[in-house]
Amino acid sequence: MGYWSSPDAGSSEARQAAVLAQMFVRGMASDIRLMAWHAVFDHGPGTEEHGLFWGRDLSRPKLAYAAYTTVARELRGARDPRPWGPEGVEGYRFRMPGGGEKIVLWARDSATSVDFPWACLRVVNTLGEVFDPVRDGDPNGDRDGQRNGQVRLDIFPDWPFYVAPRPCP
């Protein structure tokens, strides 16, 4: 798989990162057993800017490298994927080792809000930033701001989030 990061090719570094995560999640959901990113390093400008690192410099990772490490860490051992999500959202529910579950989702066309039927969540964005716990009623995380037994998250177009229920501390 591969996708470029160059504005000259109609993309961006953030777009490349999001597409990488989506490709791996969709591949897992389609039961593809072996997936690999086309190139570690860029091979030139424009459509040849498709590596995980700028040029050939391991000290200059792109956002796609963060997305790659995030999908590998968050979905390690995931199995039994099933489509999940309300209208306007693409999402997949995975069973995780130890019996838990994890949902990976993104908005299709425009930002939307999604309600999760749990009082506490662990949320990780495409680049690996962890928000834990996100609690029911917390005005900094629960977008409806109400204590109602669920957490509402804002979901953005083409920007995957990894969401898992967790016990409230």
Side-chain angles (χ1 to χ4, degrees):
M1 298 177 291
Y3 200 83
W4 46 92
S5 59
S6 173
D8 293 340
S11 188
S12 68
E13 190 178 354
R15 178 78 180 134
Q16 181 192 34
V19 168
L20 179 147
Q22 290 171 328
M23 286 179 171
F24 275 96
V25 170
R26 287 173 175 151
M28 291 177 73
S30 298
D31 202 29
I32 296 174
R33 304 241 185 235
L34 182 61
M35 294 177 278
W37 195 250
H38 170 66
V40 173
F41 300 110
D42 288 338
H43 294 287
T47 57
E48 295 303 310
E49 240 175 57
H50 47 69
L52 300 175
F53 293 87
W54 290 108
R56 296 192 173 280
D57 187 349
L58 286 173
S59 69
R60 295 186 57 218
K62 292 183 185 179
L63 296 177
Y65 180 73
Y68 185 84
T69 59
T70 300
V71 74
R73 180 185 66 242
E74 292 300 316
L75 295 180
R76 179 178 293 126
R79 59 189 188 283
D80 300 329
R82 297 177 309 272
W84 183 92
E87 188 174 326
V89 170
E90 183 172 351
Y92 303 92
R93 182 185 303 237
F94 293 89
R95 283 191 339 169
M96 301 303 294
E101 64 183 8
K102 192 169 286 183
I103 296 169
V104 186
L105 72 161
W106 55 89
R108 291 183 189 268
D109 298 315
S110 59
T112 189
S113 296
V114 175
D115 293 329
F116 293 87
W118 303 299
C120 285
L121 303 176
R122 178 180 182 271
V123 179
V124 180
N125 72 15
T126 301
L127 302 180
E129 294 174 295
V130 178
F131 305 90
D132 184 25
V134 178
R135 290 186 180 103
D136 176 27
D138 180 353
N140 295 319
D142 183 359
R143 304 317 290 169
D144 70 8
Q146 300 175 26
R147 291 195 53 97
N148 55 4
Q150 65 184 20
V151 175
R152 177 174 293 163
L153 297 178
D154 290 338
I155 306 299
F156 302 98
D158 301 325
W159 195 247
F161 283 91
Y162 305 81
V163 179
R166 68 177 316 285
C168 288

